[in-house]
Amino acid sequence: MLIEAGGDPSFLSTIPMASLGLLGSSLDWQYKTIPNNISCLSSIGEQCRFSRGKSLGGTTAINHMLYIRGNRYDYDRMNISGWTWKDLEPYFLRYEGLQILDQYPASSRKYHNSNGTMKLEYFDDPRNPWHMRTVEGLKQLNIPYNKDLNGEYQIGVTKVAGYVYKGERMSTARGYLARNDVKKNLKVAKNAFCTEVVIDDDNIARGVTVVQNLQKVTIYARIEIILSAGAIGTPQILMQSGVGPADHLQEMGISVRSNLPVGNDMSDHQLPVVIVKVDHGGIVDSLVGLTSKAPQVLQYLASRSGPLASNSLQDIVTLINTNCYDFDLRQYSGNSSRCELADMQIIQSYIDKGLVALAKPLVKQAIGFNDQVLDQIEKANENHGLIVFSPMVLQPYSRGTVRLASIDPLQPPAIFANYLGDERDVEQMVKSITFLEHLMKTQIFKKHKASILHLNLPGCPAYKCGRVEYWRCYARHMTYSGYHAVGTCALTRVVDEQLRVYGVKNLRVADLSVLKNIIRGNTASVSIAIGERIVDFLTEEDNP
Ligand SMILES: Cc1cc2nc3c(=O)[nH]c(=O)nc-3n(C[C@H](O)[C@H](O)[C@H](O)COP(=O)(O)OP(=O)(O)OC[C@H]3O[C@@H](n4cnc5c(N)ncnc54)[C@H](O)[C@@H]3O)c2cc1C
């Protein structure tokens, strides 16, 4: 039986273009981070948004749908038997249903599969000229065009494949729950909030308690229990069940079943949101734009195609190792093997002129910046299109923790994300912003009067008084989560190589909480591979 706290994903969640509108909606757990006074300073209450999907399909029902699997080295360096790239690659391939393989170079073929459950395609054309302009600007900085960032090399700029199929989001609910074998064998309990695992006196997991329709029910398992509540939900349920750091559990009045570092060492991509003003030549302005959207809506409803089936500008992804970018020459020279390991990933989206004013409540709900910042963005958007760049720190040093905030399991947990807790992450952000400044100086960006918005931020020096100091301070204000948290129930610390929780029988975890290191890429890819991986652990044990 699958137990899910949310219900079915909404129609809106199937429309690729609508993904931003899902953040802060009822499909989102709407978590926020606990302030650490050194990051997220321009978010409301100095708390970064920490969105997670709350419906069948989990976070794949609200995410941005980019398909990047990370670098092979990310898996090898975990140095865990059964979890190297060689061990995991078959599971990535098993679920991959890449429909555009014929558009990839021949050298890519061996890295892909077209027949898996999760269908992947290119997003439809956003009809936004900034797609090609961005590629051209990056080319001027010598960033290679790489058709397949999941193939032989991971560096470069690409038009990225996405979890979209026939113009609709390909969430794991759409992929897996539609399979006949799954439909036949799986019972699904929706809107059922799991509050704890029932563990008997011999430390054997027997079942789970759930709250559904205000009723508390215990569901017993015939064989075993697998927690897949994600990097926040899983540690919360474990701690409520007495599995976690003994001192914390005792402090909360919970008797300890297994003393484990649950909730520790959370790693997440983090980024400074960088806003670029551009002329809006070639793109309709917003009022005209909104009225001209009616045919786009009709086109989408009729054929699931057109701009609504696009991911706006976000179908471009850039991965580079900033150590291989010459900041004096303004040229990338990634020709050594150490350059193959990216430390920055850039994604971006485009906002039509005037759109922030028209959709301010939605923007506020989705992004969570305070009014002081939003007002400045709105003003810049009065006469300019905006490109919002998100240069992610791919290998952050800062680590966070998840703890219970209350003994009441229905209350959200305390997420100490601790972004920028390590100064090296700030320096990496400054490097990324400097790279973007160079991008603004390329011919094509200059031609369209592109410039980075220097927000006026309390406590930050003026930009002209000290560029680097300004950007350091900026990074601490405009911090944003990459929404890729991992590691809160890590392999070999909380679970063994077969994902069994130490000290409790018949209990496993299969989600991103088990991933020991964060990957150089977007994490849905790994969470699905972990799901495929556990299938073999279970079936191999059934048939020794
Ligand atoms: C805004 C956003 C954009 C993103 N963009 C991308 C992207 O473009 N590409 C990419 O690869 N990754 C992206 N990600 C990250 C990726 O989607 C997640 O890392 C991944 O889906 C997490 O998988 P998971 O199985 O660990 O957890 P989840 O997908 O979060 O699944 C956990 C499930 O457990 C349920 N649950 C939790 N607690 C309970 C409970 N107590 N009782 C019952 N059910 C419970 C939840 O409702 C959810 O359905 C994005 C994430 C976000 C938030």
Side-chain angles (χ1 to χ4, degrees), residues 3-6 19 23 29 31 50-68 163 172 192-195 228-234 236-237 311 347 409 482-486 510-513 521-528:
I3 294 163
E4 167 56 50
S19 67
L23 304 186
W29 284 84
Y31 293 134
F50 201 95
S51 291
R52 307 267 97 194
K54 188 183 191 180
S55 73
L56 292 174
T59 306
T60 68
I62 65 163
N63 73 9
H64 297 324
M65 296 163 280
L66 310 177
Y67 178 54
I68 304 278
Y163 300 86
T172 49
F193 188 103
C194 174
T195 51
S228 295
I232 304 303
T234 292
Q236 183 185 14
I237 296 170
N311 199 7
I347 59 170
Y483 295 130
H484 292 156
V486 303
D511 57 37
L512 280 181
S513 66
N522 308 68
T523 41
S525 57
V526 203
S527 64
I528 306 169

Side-chain angles (χ1 to χ4, degrees), residues 42 370 372-373 376 453-463 470 474 477-478:
S42 287
N370 64 29
Q372 206 181 349
V373 161
Q376 293 179 63
L453 188 59
H454 295 157
L455 293 165
N456 187 4
L457 300 167
C460 292
Y463 176 80
Y470 172 78
Y474 181 100
H477 276 262
M478 297 296 286

Side-chain angles (χ1 to χ4, degrees), residues 401-412:
T401 14
V402 178
R403 290 287 182 262
L404 298 177
S406 158
I407 186 76
D408 176 359
L410 299 179
Q411 293 305 311

